[in-house]
Amino acid sequence: NAGLTVAGGTLTAGAVTSGAISATTVAASGLVTANAGLTVAGGTLTAGAVTSGAISATTVAASGLVTANAGLTVASGTLTAGAVTSGAISATTVNTSGGVGVGSTLNVAGVTKVTSTTTSTSTTTGAFVVSGGVGVAGAINAGGLVTANAGLTVAGGTLTSGAISATTIDASGLVTANAGLTVAGGTLTSGAISATTISASGTVSATASTASTSTTTGAVVVTGGVGVGGALNVAGITKVTSTTTSTSTTTGAFVVSGGVGVAGAINAGGLVTANA
């Protein structure tokens, strides 16, 4: 009742029940229960399993599973583990040589860098793969090709790109192609086209019904000249507004290298010269 003191040597017993034990070394082949707490002032606590309300230690080394039901706090230094399963982790730095699985939301206040250089050739390959959608409030800068298999929608602002290869481009606003626009197949449908050069190997159709009352109005308006290598069929009235005088077969507001066939009358306000 007044206490047991072993000044030297070893106390060997099947079981010891005590209010407090202060010892240099405690070795037990069975269970050790410390109801009021266990303090290891120095050295190492070695045990097959430790069950405790709280453990405060400089170093914790375990060959098996460590479970911290009330949370695990590493005030300084490094937590090194083969695998960590946790409801929540709050840390200044997390370094892992293996994978990280997050079953819920991941919030990152700093910059997130993916250093893998894996090439992306589909929606399931690449250095960063997302099974669902991605919402981005700011800008996206891509150094390589951007492929939108289901379509690309720009609700507002401007889409600036070095090159766009697409089956269909549908835009309600202005589309500017500074380096040129190529339509390899299919149809280019547009409300208005402003271009320095238009080159087409197929048919170019202007379906607008805008009437032409001057050189700046109509369904198709060309500021410069128009060169036509084949036939030109005009269902409406053709007006030549140039006032260039004709003094030969190669001068005038309207010059024809070949012959002219006219089914109706010809009215001339000036001199008619028939050289042949």
Side-chain angles (χ1 to χ4, degrees):
N1 293 327
L4 174 64
T5 301
V6 180
T10 304
L11 169 64
T12 303
V16 177
T17 302
S18 171
I21 296 178
S22 177
T24 305
T25 302
V26 176
S29 59
L31 178 65
V32 176
T33 302
N35 293 323
L38 176 64
T39 302
V40 180
T44 304
L45 170 64
T46 304
V50 176
T51 302
S52 173
I55 296 177
S56 177
T58 304
T59 302
V60 176
S63 59
L65 178 66
V66 175
T67 303
N69 293 323
L72 175 64
T73 302
V74 181
S76 62
T78 304
L79 170 64
T80 304
V84 177
T85 302
S86 172
I89 296 178
S90 177
T92 304
T93 303
V94 177
N95 295 313
T96 176
S97 59
V100 176
V102 181
S104 187
T105 303
L106 176 65
N107 294 288
V108 181
V111 177
T112 301
K113 293 183 178 181
V114 180
T115 58
S116 171
T117 58
T118 304
T119 302
S120 176
T121 57
S122 66
T123 56
T124 57
T125 58
F128 187 64
V129 177
V130 181
S131 298
V134 177
V136 181
I140 296 179
N141 294 283
L145 178 66
V146 176
T147 302
N149 294 322
L152 176 64
T153 301
V154 181
T158 303
L159 170 65
T160 303
S161 173
I164 296 178
S165 177
T167 303
T168 302
I169 296 178
D170 187 1
S172 59
L174 178 65
V175 176
T176 302
N178 293 323
L181 175 65
T182 302
V183 181
T187 304
L188 170 64
T189 303
S190 174
I193 297 177
S194 176
T196 303
T197 303
I198 297 179
S199 177
S201 58
T203 302
V204 177
S205 300
T207 57
S209 57
T210 305
S212 178
T213 57
S214 67
T215 58
T216 58
T217 59
V220 177
V221 176
V222 181
T223 304
V226 176
V228 181
L232 178 64
N233 293 281
V234 181
I237 297 174
T238 301
K239 291 183 179 181
V240 180
T241 58
S242 172
T243 58
T244 304
T245 303
S246 177
T247 57
S248 67
T249 58
T250 58
T251 59
F254 187 65
V255 178
V256 180
S257 299
V260 176
V262 181
I266 296 178
N267 293 282
L271 178 65
V272 177
T273 303
N275 294 320

